[in-house]
Amino acid sequence: MSFATEVKNQYQNEKENPNPNPNPNPSSPVKKRAPRWSDLWLKHTKSKPLEQMVVAAAAAMQLHSLTSPRKSNTTAVIPNFSIIDRTLLLSDVILLKILSKLPDSQRNDNSLVCKRWLNLQGRLVRSIRILDWNFVLSGRLIHRFPNLNHVDLIPGCLILAQSSNIVMSGNVLSMGVDSGCSPNWYNCEENMLPVEVIDNGLTALAGACPNLRRVQVIGASEMGLLSVAEECPTLQELELQRCSDNVLRGIAACGNLQILKLVGNVEGFYGSVVSDIGLTILAQGCKRLVKLELCGCEGSFDGIKAIGKCCQMLEELTLCDHRMDDGWLAAVSYCENLKTLRLQSCKKIDLNLGVDEYLGSFPALQRLHLQKCQLRDKKSVAALFSVCRSAKEIIIQDCWGLDNGMFGFATVCRCVKLLHLEGCSLLTTQGLDSVIHSWKELQSLRVVSCKNIKDTEITLSLATLFTTLKELKWRPDTKSLLQSSLMAVSIGKKGGKFFKRTLT
């Protein structure tokens, strides 16, 4: 009888007698258990030693391994990772070129793929804004972003209030303040890192990033800026807040500097002095300047003259909330290649001009831009337009005191091709008409948010002039804008009929 037959018979017996009683004597303490599969197997293999069966099984397994193709156990447990991530087959250079072609909006998502993509994405970052100064001192900034060329260090130099919901904003700076601060107290000076700490950060940054082209910093000293000037020969743009005459000695070492923004005194934030001494040091050191912006800086005729004499490549000069002494406007004529003169948030222009013959003019001037300035002194406004009489573009935005009389001084500017007026509430249609008719080369006119310029006051000659312009943007107030838009879609009359029916 074979082993399978015996197992089958045993299974049938158990099925027919589900509860057999192997012990007929119920008083006997020993009970005979039912046979198991292992017992049957051992009974069947009594005639064949167990060792022989094991040897036969091993031989069968060896024969099967020789006839079947060998497969790696690691591939059966762990799949080939190169099949899942095919970017591992690409070198860092090739993958870096691919990531550089993707839009900047996907930069954060790409850096979350893996550590390799995170490091490669860090190489593509060129501009960064520092919020924590320890990120600079610890070296993590350089390790994470080794190819930076623009670093904004201003937020990291300030110790901002964590629980403050009050934001104090100025022309060049914004920061959170406490509700109990005094209005006469300079909030920024007490919440700024020590000068030594800022200089150490600048030294570490300049030593690791010699290709820096633009740096924005506040509260640095002469030594910190000297380290940047020595280690970063390609530095082209610099913004320095809380600047003084002593600090400008370090800036003068930046021989290739082209764009410079100096912030001296900002009311409510900090106070520092930039005088003629600092402007003269700057002019003698940075002779390749193309754009210069002076915010809250002092000075006079001598300082502006030094800049005009030494910085012969200067094309754009911006004065923001200037504290210049009287007579500075006459020195601007020494900037022979100046193309743009911009005045922002200035409470005055120049109250003591001196002799008119010394004012001069700018033959290369292209643009005069006035923004949020107080134009209340007639002599200074007349002198400003006289100096800028060769300007081809005049932009006036949100300036107080510009009425018909003040704007009438602009008739000396015979070469104007573009006029942009915005937020000039005192100027009327008659004052505008009297000036632009004297400009024979006018091609573009933009009038926005000037409430005293009315559509109903437009004369026939002014309407004829509008037809000859290449560009006309006429939005003196919201009413005229609404009326023109309604007439353009032809719903004005329909709306009137609808309201009449509703009222009846």
Side-chain angles (χ1 to χ4, degrees):
M1 181 182 298
S2 64
F3 175 73
T5 305
E6 187 175 356
V7 171
K8 183 178 180 181
N9 295 334
Q10 181 66 26
Y11 177 75
Q12 289 180 356
N13 293 333
E14 292 180 356
K15 187 176 181 181
E16 293 175 358
N17 301 316
N19 295 319
N21 187 7
N23 190 6
N25 188 6
S27 61
S28 177
V30 180
K31 295 183 179 180
K32 198 173 189 179
R33 63 181 177 82
R36 300 179 180 178
W37 288 89
S38 59
D39 298 336
L40 297 176
W41 184 80
L42 290 173
K43 180 181 179 181
H44 182 74
T45 57
K46 285 183 178 179
S47 60
K48 189 174 183 180
L50 182 62
E51 292 81 0
Q52 296 180 2
M53 295 184 63
V54 173
V55 171
M61 292 178 62
Q62 184 177 4
L63 180 62
H64 178 72
S65 62
L66 293 175
T67 55
S68 62
R70 180 174 295 179
K71 295 183 180 180
S72 177
N73 293 332
T74 58
T75 57
V77 179
I78 303 176
N80 192 355
F81 191 72
S82 62
I83 300 177
I84 299 176
D85 187 5
R86 297 184 182 274
T87 60
L88 295 177
L89 303 176
L90 303 176
S91 63
D92 290 348
V93 178
I94 297 177
L95 186 57
L96 202 61
K97 291 182 179 180
I98 296 175
L99 293 176
S100 63
K101 301 296 182 180
L102 298 177
D104 295 338
S105 59
Q106 300 181 5
R107 178 177 300 175
N108 294 332
D109 297 337
N110 295 335
S111 62
L112 298 177
V113 174
C114 59
K115 290 184 178 181
R116 185 192 181 196
W117 283 39
L118 178 65
N119 296 330
L120 293 178
Q121 197 68 41
R123 300 182 189 179
L124 298 176
V125 177
R126 298 292 183 266
S127 177
I128 193 171
R129 189 167 181 257
I130 303 300
L131 301 178
D132 186 3
W133 198 252
N134 291 327
F135 191 54
V136 181
L137 296 177
S138 62
R140 290 178 294 169
L141 172 66
I142 310 305
H143 179 73
R144 178 71 176 84
F145 308 105
N147 299 324
L148 293 174
N149 55 30
H150 172 207
V151 181
D152 184 4
L153 301 171
I154 295 178
C157 298
L158 302 176
I159 305 174
L160 303 179
Q162 300 294 333
S163 60
S164 176
N165 295 325
I166 304 174
V167 179
M168 186 176 180
S169 300
N171 294 327
V172 295
L173 186 63
S174 298
M175 62 177 296
V177 296
D178 295 331
S179 59
C181 66
S182 174
N184 298 324
W185 177 54
Y186 287 115
N187 297 280
C188 188
E189 291 185 351
E190 297 294 333
N191 296 303
M192 189 180 299
L193 294 176
V195 178
E196 296 79 8
V197 177
I198 298 177
D199 290 343
N200 293 335
L202 282 177
T203 304
L205 179 64
C209 298
N211 297 324
L212 284 178
R213 295 185 179 182
R214 183 181 179 185
V215 176
Q216 298 172 262
V217 66
I218 181 174
S221 68
E222 176 186 356
M223 300 306 298
L225 294 177
L226 279 175
S227 61
V228 176
E230 293 174 357
E231 299 294 338
C232 305
T234 60
L235 186 66
Q236 298 179 355
E237 186 173 354
L238 179 63
E239 178 181 347
L240 181 60
Q241 296 196 24
R242 201 191 177 198
C243 181
S244 62
D245 293 338
N246 295 329
V247 178
L248 289 174
R249 298 176 182 176
I251 296 180
C254 303
N256 296 322
L257 200 63
Q258 297 182 3
I259 302 175
L260 177 60
K261 181 178 180 180
L262 301 180
V263 184
N265 191 324
V266 180
E267 186 175 358
F269 290 93
Y270 51 81
S272 56
V273 178
V274 177
S275 62
D276 287 336
I277 298 175
L279 295 180
T280 304
I281 295 174
L282 169 66
Q284 294 177 354
C286 303
K287 297 183 179 181
R288 296 186 178 182
L289 281 181
V290 178
K291 295 182 180 180
L292 176 61
E293 183 174 353
L294 304 176
C295 299
C297 297
E298 299 179 4
S300 63
F301 178 89
D302 295 332
I304 301 298
K305 179 181 177 181
I307 292 176
K309 285 288 187 179
C310 299
C311 306
Q312 298 182 359
M313 300 175 60
L314 188 64
E315 296 182 357
E316 182 175 333
L317 177 62
T318 302
L319 299 179
C320 180
D321 191 20
H322 76 82
R323 290 165 170 79
M324 296 286 178
D325 294 337
D326 298 337
W328 69 270
L329 186 59
V332 184
S333 59
Y334 287 93
C335 304
E336 298 179 354
N337 295 319
L338 192 66
K339 295 182 179 179
T340 301
L341 177 61
R342 182 179 288 108
L343 302 179
Q344 296 179 353
S345 303
C346 295
K347 299 178 182 178
K348 62 178 182 177
I349 303 298
D350 195 343
L351 300 180
N352 189 5
L353 302 170
V355 184
D356 296 340
E357 288 77 6
Y358 295 102
L359 288 177
S361 63
F362 313 120
L365 191 67
Q366 300 287 332
R367 185 180 297 103
L368 173 62
H369 190 178
L370 304 176
Q371 183 179 10
K372 296 182 180 180
C373 297
Q374 296 186 15
L375 307 178
R376 303 183 186 275
D377 185 69
K378 293 184 178 181
K379 289 186 178 181
S380 60
V381 174
L384 179 62
F385 284 120
S386 177
V387 170
C388 304
R389 54 180 173 266
S390 60
K392 296 178 175 58
E393 297 181 7
I394 296 180
I395 303 173
I396 304 176
Q397 295 177 316
D398 301 324
C399 291
W400 295 275
L402 184 69
D403 53 8
N404 295 341
M406 294 293 184
F407 188 64
F409 294 118
T411 54
V412 297
C413 305
R414 303 289 183 178
C415 302
V416 176
K417 295 183 179 181
L418 183 146
L419 174 63
H420 181 96
L421 298 175
E422 183 176 353
C424 301
S425 58
L426 300 180
L427 187 63
T428 64
T429 311
Q430 182 180 0
L432 176 66
D433 190 2
S434 62
V435 173
I436 63 176
H437 269 96
S438 62
W439 296 342
K440 303 302 180 182
E441 300 182 9
L442 185 64
Q443 299 177 358
S444 301
L445 177 62
R446 305 170 188 169
V447 180
V448 180
S449 301
C450 300
K451 62 180 182 179
N452 282 327
I453 298 179
K454 306 294 184 180
D455 293 341
T456 56
E457 298 177 357
I458 297 178
T459 60
L460 181 60
S461 60
L462 187 59
T464 306
L465 178 62
F466 288 168
T467 59
T468 61
L469 297 176
K470 294 182 179 180
E471 179 188 0
L472 176 62
K473 184 177 182 180
W474 188 261
R475 296 179 181 177
D477 54 20
T478 56
K479 184 178 180 180
S480 61
L481 174 62
L482 179 61
Q483 183 178 358
S484 60
S485 61
L486 291 177
M487 294 301 294
V489 296
S490 302
I491 64 173
K493 295 182 179 180
K494 295 180 180 179
K497 294 180 180 179
F498 172 77
F499 285 115
K500 287 181 181 179
R501 291 178 182 177
T502 306
L503 293 174
T504 57

